[in-house]
Amino acid sequence: MAKPRLISFKICPFVQRSVILLKEKDIDFDIAYIDLSEPPEWFLTLSPTGKVPVLEVEGKVLFESAIINEYLDEVNPPSLHPTDPIEKAQNRSWMEFTSPLYMAFFKIMMSKTKEEGAKVVLEANKQLETLERIKIQTPWFNGEKFSMVDISVAPLFMRLDFLKRHFSLDLLDGKPSLQTWSNKLLARKTISDSVVDNFEDILMMRIRDAGSFLIQQ
Ligand SMILES: N[C@@H](CCC(=O)N[C@@H](CS)C(=O)NCC(=O)O)C(=O)O
């Protein structure tokens, strides 16, 4: 495979999913960061949705993080999916399940009032409780084998850990299986290396700029 180029925004969790996969598979890649508040013309020409991630590979353009990751997994064996079709399909369902939780994190960051924030936290909590109930294997989602579904949730746990450490907002409180899973994921090198050095400073700046309820506490 020719060296792919990933177009990124520094705090985008969806790009982070692709970065983790690229690192897990030890694929050599270039990364270009853009500012989504002022996307460059070349990016708008390249991206059909105006969203990151975009992967340029073999002279082609791929978009949507799940599709990018499926492609990278397929052309760089061994696959990080289970081989059993039903188990693989179930994994994909749970990967899909985690995606709206990223929007919840974004809304928590951007909520201006405590009431607004509490509403999003309540909704996110329900989804996390569902995930807690089905996470019965350890250490990873499928037991001993690290897989795509672990990658899909890792950026979320990184952001929940950030909320806990900086704002004492602990969405994993009372969810021991998820907490154990999160600890394990956040200790993994491909995951800790999947964000830029000043990742938390940038998140903090966004929270301040948004006038978020988090900093009014
Ligand atoms: N479903 C998409 C979501 C990607 C996404 O929402 N990316 C955000 C940044 S984290 C974005 O590019 N937003 C720009 C916009 O919506 O205009 C994926 O998984 O790739």
Side-chain angles (χ1 to χ4, degrees):
M1 189 174 69
K3 194 173 177 181
R5 183 166 87 130
L6 188 65
I7 317 300
S8 172
F9 174 59
K10 285 183 180 166
I11 54 170
C12 176
F14 303 104
V15 179
Q16 197 183 342
R17 286 171 158 180
S18 297
V19 173
I20 297 168
L21 182 63
L22 285 157
K23 287 182 180 286
E24 284 289 338
K25 298 219 169 219
D26 212 9
I27 302 168
D28 194 18
F29 67 102
D30 287 323
I31 190 159
Y33 296 104
I34 62 159
D35 179 356
L36 278 175
S37 63
E38 280 179 64
E41 213 43 57
W42 63 262
F43 171 71
L44 295 176
T45 311
L46 204 66
S47 165
T49 59
K51 293 183 184 187
V52 291
V54 164
L55 189 78
E56 289 181 289
V57 65
E58 313 275 354
K60 307 264 191 327
V61 169
L62 300 180
F63 57 100
E64 284 295 326
S65 60
I67 311 299
I68 291 171
N69 280 14
E70 292 288 345
Y71 164 77
L72 290 170
D73 187 55
E74 193 177 338
V75 298
N76 295 280
S79 173
L80 283 177
H81 269 310
T83 43
D84 177 56
I86 188 77
E87 207 185 323
K88 190 194 295 190
Q90 280 182 317
N91 275 216
R92 286 185 170 133
S93 300
W94 287 108
M95 287 163 71
E96 201 57 38
F97 181 88
T98 61
S99 290
L101 281 160
Y102 289 99
M103 187 42 76
F105 170 78
F106 180 72
K107 284 189 189 160
I108 291 171
M109 261 192 4
M110 294 294 143
S111 293
K112 299 228 176 335
T113 64
K114 260 190 178 168
E115 292 70 29
E116 221 182 300
K119 226 169 113 182
V120 191
V121 167
L122 194 75
E123 195 50 45
N125 236 325
K126 276 193 218 153
Q127 287 168 280
L128 288 167
E129 274 161 12
T130 304
L131 200 55
E132 168 74 14
R133 280 196 298 277
I134 62 104
K135 173 69 173 68
I136 47 174
Q137 302 202 68
T138 56
W140 310 115
F141 188 83
N142 294 309
E144 286 307 317
K145 196 169 175 285
F146 182 85
S147 58
M148 300 282 270
V149 70
D150 296 295
I151 293 175
S152 72
V153 77
L156 176 72
F157 284 151
M158 194 178 271
R159 284 155 181 78
L160 297 187
D161 183 62
F162 166 85
L163 287 180
K164 179 178 167 181
R165 280 184 290 105
H166 292 279
F167 302 106
S168 305
L169 176 57
D170 186 3
L171 274 86
L172 297 188
D173 186 32
K175 304 178 188 72
S177 298
L178 294 189
Q179 186 61 68
T180 307
W181 190 17
S182 171
N183 295 347
K184 189 85 187 158
L185 283 165
L186 299 191
R188 196 170 172 104
K189 186 152 168 53
T190 54
I191 291 167
S192 55
D193 284 353
S194 64
V195 288
V196 291
D197 287 345
N198 60 344
F199 172 70
E200 294 205 348
D201 296 338
I202 305 176
L203 278 185
M204 205 57 100
M205 210 160 60
R206 287 296 297 268
I207 287 169
R208 286 209 188 91
D209 289 351
S212 169
F213 79 104
L214 291 168
I215 47 164
Q216 298 160 14
Q217 291 179 347

